Amino acid sequence: MLVAAAVCPCPPLLVPEVAAGAAPEMDAARAACTDALGVLAAARPDLLVVVGPAEQSGRGVHPQGAVGSFRGFGVDVGVRLGPATGAVTERELPPSLAVAAWLLERTGWASAPIEGLGIGEPLAPERCMDAGRDIAARAGRVALLVMGDASACRTLKAPGYLDERAAPFDAEVARALAAADVAALQTLDAELAYELKASGRAPWQVLAGAAEGAGLAGSLLYDDAPYGVGYLVAGWS
């Protein structure tokens, strides 16, 4: 059963070495992510599953101890998803899960075993929700760390240029996360999310499936678009 969830954005810019001179601009987002991970630790879960967007279609599992890096972003910084287990992992973490691993390392996560799940951004809503239901049934007390960005079309200089639909879309997602509104997340328009380059749509709908019947309350901890991309942080418990 899902007992807690944290929702965080996944830009590599959260990692100060990647952001370089712009690192202070993300300080508030980093602090909010730390607070959200505190919600997970306080829930004392038996299992933490980290979910984030990935390029492939479908789902890709990454076991505890899987490694990733930010070398593709120009810095020699490596990360590991929780303590090493001795198992050999061939696939590197996708960038979203690498950011999650960095956040977990930064906060000294040691509360429960960890597993990563990369969700292909085109995955249909119902399949996302089925994945969430499966996760919630994995243990008596399951926590989710859900990585993903809102729209990338909030300003003229945003990666997706300015789209007038972006701000209302992000506002509705922020409202749903603040209220732990499972039904609203389940009915997010996948096509619109794709057009607005909102990488969090599929992971949010995994959360929506996992949270069915859990009766969790939500709190929105951060809502901003410093680079024309919507970044949202929330905690559910």
Side-chain angles (χ1 to χ4, degrees):
M1 179 178 179
L2 188 71
V3 295
V7 177
C8 295
C10 58
L13 288 172
L14 276 174
V15 180
E17 291 88 343
V18 175
E25 297 174 15
M26 296 295 288
D27 281 348
R30 291 186 197 99
C33 290
T34 298
D35 291 343
L37 265 62
V39 172
L40 301 183
R44 300 184 180 276
D46 302 319
L47 173 68
L48 171 64
V49 179
V50 183
V51 180
E55 292 181 359
Q56 82 280 0
S57 59
R59 295 178 276 176
V61 176
H62 299 268
Q64 179 170 312
V67 297
S69 79
F70 297 98
R71 295 181 186 91
F73 301 94
V75 297
D76 189 16
V77 174
V79 292
R80 184 183 297 276
L81 188 65
T85 62
V88 177
T89 57
E90 297 181 356
R91 288 185 302 158
E92 277 209 348
L93 298 169
S96 65
L97 297 189
V99 173
W102 179 84
L103 287 171
L104 290 164
E105 287 182 358
R106 180 172 181 261
T107 55
W109 178 268
S111 300
I114 304 173
E115 183 177 293
L117 182 63
I119 296 290
E121 292 188 47
L123 195 65
E126 189 54 47
R127 290 189 63 194
C128 293
M129 289 181 275
D130 283 344
R133 296 177 188 116
D134 291 343
I135 290 170
R138 291 275 307 279
R141 298 182 64 82
V142 177
L144 270 179
L145 173 53
V146 183
M147 308 298 293
D149 300 339
S151 72
C153 303
R154 291 277 291 273
T155 67
L156 293 173
K157 294 184 178 180
Y161 197 64
L162 176 65
D163 190 315
E164 298 296 341
R165 301 172 297 174
F169 176 88
D170 289 357
E172 172 56 17
V173 174
R175 186 206 63 77
L177 292 176
D181 188 338
V182 171
L185 294 179
Q186 289 179 333
T187 55
L188 286 175
D189 186 327
E191 183 175 348
L192 176 59
Y194 175 79
E195 292 173 359
L196 296 176
K197 304 183 184 299
S199 70
R201 189 277 307 172
W204 297 331
Q205 290 186 319
V206 172
L207 168 61
E212 285 179 342
L216 301 182
S219 176
L220 188 67
L221 305 175
Y222 181 86
D223 178 3
D224 204 355
Y227 302 106
V229 181
Y231 297 148
L232 300 167
V233 180
W236 289 16
S237 63

